[in-house]
Amino acid sequence: MENIQSLNEKFDIAVSSLAMHYIKDYDALIKGVYSLLNPGGIFAFSQEHPLTTAPIAGPKWIKNNDGVVDHYRLTDYMRTGERTVSWIVNGVVKYHRTFSELINGLVRAGFVIMEIDEPVLTPENIRRFPCYDKDLHKPNFLIIKVKEGSNL
């Protein structure tokens, strides 16, 4: 992804699933994707939600006296940059960006925002899988759909 401009082609759509938070130079990647899209082309991506990537020490859920999740402990949101976490293996590097950093990078590159989603399970699914009730405190993912805006 960091050498995306080497594709040297044009596309109608570009999609990235849960990879953007591993890219060090977000602005360069966004500009690269924009340059590869045909006029009106679509770029859709998902990533870990900025509330998830924010805590430098890693995500932490606070439980009440009964051991039930009460809330999510948000820290370090405005301290952007590298985070090192354990995910399957130790030492996984990802990058935290604020919501405004993500959106403004897209706008500066020339994209037009089409849709933003912070998906969580439906109430019916949470009843079926109560362990996901905590996700109503904080979404795990962010999905953004933008359009190349040169023909506006």
Side-chain angles (χ1 to χ4, degrees):
M1 288 176 67
E2 292 171 335
N3 297 316
I4 198 164
Q5 291 173 323
S6 67
L7 292 174
N8 212 16
E9 294 183 45
K10 292 286 188 175
F11 301 90
D12 292 326
I13 188 167
V15 178
S16 173
S17 178
L18 296 177
M20 300 298 284
H21 51 281
Y22 295 109
I23 298 299
K24 184 175 185 175
D25 193 342
Y26 174 79
D27 287 335
L29 175 62
I30 295 304
K31 289 174 188 172
V33 171
Y34 188 89
S35 72
L36 295 176
L37 289 175
N38 287 316
I42 303 290
F43 177 40
F45 68 92
S46 63
Q47 70 159 63
E48 278 191 287
H49 198 285
L51 299 178
T52 301
T53 60
I56 292 171
K60 184 171 182 179
W61 292 96
I62 307 302
K63 296 180 179 181
N64 64 21
N65 291 336
D66 297 326
V68 176
V69 169
D70 183 61
H71 64 276
Y72 179 74
R73 183 174 178 227
L74 177 62
T75 60
D76 308 306
Y77 182 78
M78 297 306 291
R79 292 184 176 106
T80 61
E82 186 175 306
R83 305 290 194 261
T84 303
V85 299
S86 293
W87 185 70
I88 301 177
V89 296
N90 291 331
V92 175
V93 175
K94 58 184 169 181
Y95 296 88
H96 167 66
R97 297 175 182 89
T98 62
F99 194 80
S100 58
E101 213 174 342
L102 294 168
I103 299 305
N104 291 332
L106 293 163
V107 171
R108 280 191 301 271
F111 282 106
V112 175
I113 308 296
M114 295 178 71
E115 192 170 349
I116 298 173
D117 193 15
E118 299 168 292
V120 294
L121 291 178
T122 64
E124 176 186 325
N125 281 328
I126 289 174
R127 280 192 296 279
R128 291 178 58 207
F129 305 100
C131 64
Y132 292 107
D133 183 63
K134 68 180 175 45
D135 293 345
L136 295 176
H137 292 289
K138 176 200 66 69
N140 290 314
F141 305 106
L142 177 65
I143 302 171
I144 300 176
K145 180 180 175 184
V146 293
K147 180 169 77 168
E148 191 275 354
S150 68
N151 60 354
L152 293 179

